[in-house]
Amino acid sequence: MKARGIAALAASVMLAAGLAACGSGGGSDKSSPKTLTYWASNQGRSIQQDQQVLGPELKKFEAKTGIKVKLEVIGWPDLLNRILAATSSGAGPDVVNVGNTWSASLQATGAFQPFDDATIAKVGGKAKFIPSTLTSTGAAGKPPAFVPLYGLAYGLFYNKKLFADAGLKPPQTWQDLVTDAKKLTIPAKKQYGVVMEGASYTEGSHFAFMFGAQNGAKLFQGGQPGFDSPQMVAGVKQYVDLMAGQKVVNPSNAEYVNDSDMLKDFAKGRAAMMMIQSYAPKGLAENGMKEGEFGVVPIPVINPLPPGGRKVSSHVAGINIGVFKNTKNKDGALKLVDFLTSPDEQKILDTQLGPLPVVPQAYNDPKFQTPEIKTFKDILANSAETLPMIPEEAQFETLVGNTVKQLIADAASGKTVDDQTIKNALTAANKKMQTGG
Amino acid sequence: MRESSAVRWARRIVLTFLTVFTVVPLYVMVVSSIKPLQDVQGAFTWFPSHVTFRPFVDMWHTVPLGRYFINSLVVATCATVCSVAIAIFTGYAVSRYRFAGRGTFMTVVLSTQMFPGILFLLPLFLIFVNIDRYTGITLYGSRLGLIITYLTFALPFSIWLIAGYFDTIPRELDEAARVDGAGPMRTLFRVLLPVAAPGIVAVAIYAFMTAWGEVLFASVLTDQSTRTLAVGLREYANQAQVYWNEVMAASLVISLPVVVGFLALQRFLVHGLTAGAVKS
Amino acid sequence: MSDTITAPGDAPARAPGGPRRRRRRPTRNLLPYVLLVPALIAELAIHIIPMLVGVWMSLLHLTQFFIRNWTAAPYGGLTNYRVAMDTHGPVGKDLLHSFLITAAVTVLVVAGAWVFGLAAAVFLQKPFRGRATLRTLFLVPYALPVFTAVITWRFMFQRDSGMVNNVLSDELHLVHGHPFWLLGGNSFAALVIINIWRLWPFAFLTLTAGLQSVPGDLYEAAAIDGAGFVRKLRSVTLPLLRPVNRVLLLVLFLWTFNDFNTAYILFNQPPANADMISIHIYNASFITWNFGLGSAMSVLLLAVLLVVTLVYLGTGRLRSRHA
C-alpha cells in the first residue's frame, strides 16, 4: 500500500520536474541592480525598427553605466492594457513609456515614482525640458509622475501636386479646408479630399478634444464630465462630418485601424489632405513620397471662432517616460531616463524615429531646422492645448474615442449621423464615465 | 438497397455546397501567400499576377517568427505531455476506484470548462506575480506559466475522455494482471495504456490544438522573448504596410503542423470519441 | 443498449457506463487520492482559486486608484452587481445588449454547425469514391488554429480589397456597391459565418463517431419495413444520436457563448452588432479601469452559463427517464 503511494507520488514529482525543465526557457529576468527592463512605445515605422534604433543606444548606456537594459517595444493597441496589468499586479518593467495624455490617470494609480524636486534633479532638473512639454506630465499641484521623452504635434499634410493642379492654396480656415476637400474629391478617380484613421479610438478622442475646444467645450468641469455639451457635439460633428455630411472621405477609411493605410493612401495621391502627428514624413518616405511633394500647415480652425472657442489646432502630444515604484534599481532607472532625455540622445532618437526633441539644446542640430519642424514648433508654441490632466483622462479617451469611431462607422455604412445621433452617443459615454469611475 | 434519385441529388448538392464553403477561405489563404505585395493591396484577384515565394522568405524578417515558432512548439508540446500524463493518472483513479469525493471532483473539474476566461485572467496574473514574489519562481512572462495554464485548459476534457475509455476496458484484464502479481501502477502501464492508446492520442491532439491556438492568455502572460505565434501574428499589422501576403504565408506555415497532425491522427479522435464518450 | 454519456454531474450516481456492479464501500486506499494530486493542484491553481479571487474582486470598488493595492480598495458589497444589472443605466443597458447579441449568435451558430455537421455525417455514411478525401477536407477548418482562420476571413471581409465583396458585387452583381462586413450591421453576419465555418467540422466529427456506433442491421430492418431516407433519419439515426447530441450541443453552446478569440481577432473592438459578451466584459474592465465591475459581469456570465447547463442536463435526464 504505502510503497504504491510512494511510487505514485514519485511519478507526480517527476512530472513536476519535467514541467520545470520544459518551462525553464525564457522568463523575465529579475530586475537585479545590474539589469533594467524598459518598455518602449512603438515610435518608428515598425517594432523592429524601434529595436534597431534603440538597441545600439542602450548598448552605449551599458558601456557608460554597466547596467544592462532589457528592451521590449510594445505596439499602441496593447500598451495601455499592458501597463494596467503591470500596475494591478505590481510586476512591471522598471522604466516605461506612456502616451503623455494618460499621465494624470496613471499617476492616480500610485504605481509611479513621483518626480519631486530631488528626483527630477537626478534627471537634469525641470530647466532641462521645454516648458510646454512639462504641461502634460501629471495633475496640477502634484509632483509630476513622468518626464517628457518625445514631443509630437498634429499638422495638416497636403499633397502639393494635387493642390497645384486644382489651383488651390493650403487652407487657412476650417471652412477653406472643407471647400478644398470637396473640390479635390473625385470618387471616380478614387481620389478623396481627406484621409482619416477612422477605426482608431485614440485619433477619435484627440480630434474630439481639439475641435471641441475650437467650439468652446470644456471636457470636465469641477470633476464632472461634460462630453455631451452642445460645444462637444459641434466639435465631434466637425470631424465626423468629413465622412458623414461632406462626404470628402473614402468610406473605406472607417476600417483604418492604424496609420499605415492612411500613409499609403496619402502617398499614392488617393487623398489630398491628412491630419496626422509630426512623425509622418518617415512613413511617407517609406511609401515612396519624397520630401518636396507634400507641405505641412497647422490644422485650420473655424473662422470666426464661435463664442468661447479657442484657437486649438493640436493637443500637446508626445510620449513621456516614467519609473515604476516597484523597481529594485531606482537610481539605475533614473540614470536611464536622464540618458534618454540628454540632448545628444534626443538628436539621435528623434532624427531616426521622427518625433520632436523635448530639450531645447537638441534643436541646434541642423536636422531640426527644416520648415516642417519649424511649423510644428510654432503649433506647439501658439495653438496647442494640453488635454485635461486629471485621473479620468484615460477613460475620456477610451469612451469618447470609441464613440467617435462608432459614429464614423455608422456614417460610412450610410446611416444618418446628425446632431441628435451624436448627442445621444456622447450622452451614453458621459453616463458610463459617471457610473464606471 | 437503392436510394432514390432525390436523395442522390440532395447528397450532391449538400456536399458540393459544403466543399465550396470549406475550400474558399483555404484557397484564399494559399493563393494570397504566393502573390506579390501590390496584388494583395488592390482589389482581390483569383490568381496572382505572377507567382512569387518571396513572402515565405520575407515573413521571417518582418517579425521574429522563428522565435515565436519555437516558443509555441515548446509550450504546446510540454502542455500536451503534462496534460496527457495527468489525465492518465486521474482517469485511472476515477475509472477504477470508488472513493469519497469522486463525484464532486469530476463535477467540479468538468464545470471549469464553462468558466469564461475573462473571469480569471487578471486574478491568475496576480497569483503568478505573488508566487514570484514569495517563491522566486517566475510564472508571468515565462513559458512555464503558459504551460501550466494550457495544460489545465485541456485537462477536463482529457480526464473525461480517458476515464470513459478506461471504463470500456473490461476489469477482468485488471484482475488477471493482479493475479499475476502486478500492482495498480503496473496494471495501468502494462494493461490499460496499450489498450487505451487511441484515446490517449485523441487527447494529445486536443491538448496540443488548445495550446497552439490560445490567444487571450498568451497576450497577457507573455513578453517579447516568450511570445507565441497566436500573439505574434498580430505584429504584421504594426508595420509601415500591412503585408497581407506575408500574413497569409505565415498563417499557412503556422497551420501546417497542426493540420497535418490532426488529419493524420483524426481517426484516433473518432475512435476515442466513439469508445470514450459514447458507450453502448 | 444502455447508451449513457458521462456528463458533468452524472459521475457520482454510478460508474460511468458498463454494467452495474455491486456497490463497493468507498476505498480506504490512499492511492486514488495520490493519483488525483497533480490534477487537483493544476485545477486549483489555474481555475478554482483565480475564480474565487475574481468573485472577491467583484465585491470591491477596484478602480484605478486601488489597482496597485487591492486590499485597500473599499468594499462595495453588491454595488457592482447592481450597476451591471441595472438595465436602465448605461452600463447595464450595454451589457444586456451584448448578452442578447451573444445569445443570438450562439443560437445561429449552434444550429448551423449542427445541421451542417449532421448533413455531412449522414451523406458520408455510405462509401463512395472520394469519400475519404471529403471527410479529410471537411475537418481542415477545425484543425486550423483559430487565429489563422479568423485572420484569413478578416482579409476576405475587407471592404475594398476583400474577396467577399469582389465576388458578391463585382463578379456576381448580387449587391450594389461595396458593403462593410467588419463594421455596422453586417458584422453580425460575418461573425456567425466564421463561427459556423470553424465549428461545423467538430459537429461533423462527433456525429460521425456517433453514427459508427449505430448497428447496420437497424437500417436494414428499417429498409425491410419500407422506410425511406427521411423515415430512417427520423426513426433510426436521430434517436440513436440523442446521447451524442446532448453533449455536442452543450459543448457547441459553451464554446460559442464564451468565445473571445474570434471577435477579438476579427474586430479588435467589436461593433455593437457583434459585441460578444466575453470581449464586452474585457473592454468594459479595461476601458473604464473598473476591474471590480468587470469581475461582477464575469461572475454573472458564469452564473447564467451554470444555470443554463444544469437546466439543460436536468431536463435531458428527466426526458430519458420518461422515455
Side-chain angles (χ1 to χ4, degrees), chain A residues 4 22 30 51 72 258 260, chain B residues 78 138 184 224 227 237 239-240:
Chain A
R4 271 184 227 140
C22 273
K30 297 284 173 303
Q51 287 167 330
E72 175 163 7
N258 52 27
S260 48
Chain B
C78 292
T138 308
Q224 201 130 358
R227 194 156 295 161
Q239 309 292 330

Side-chain angles (χ1 to χ4, degrees), chain A residues 87-88 108-109, chain C residues 61-74:
Chain A
T87 305
S88 64
T109 64
Chain C
H61 282 300
L62 199 54
T63 55
Q64 72 198 92
F65 301 97
F66 306 104
I67 54 175
R68 183 160 175 263
N69 182 4
W70 294 19
T71 43

Side-chain angles (χ1 to χ4, degrees), chain C residues 82-90 92-93 96:
Chain C
R82 248 175 251 131
V83 171
M85 288 167 78
D86 171 19
T87 48
H88 297 296
K93 202 162 119 193
L96 179 69

Side-chain angles (χ1 to χ4, degrees), chain C residues 36-54:
Chain C
L36 289 185
V37 165
L40 209 58
I41 291 176
E43 286 295 339
L44 279 175
I46 305 297
H47 279 137
I48 310 293
I49 297 174
M51 183 201 67
L52 296 174
V53 173

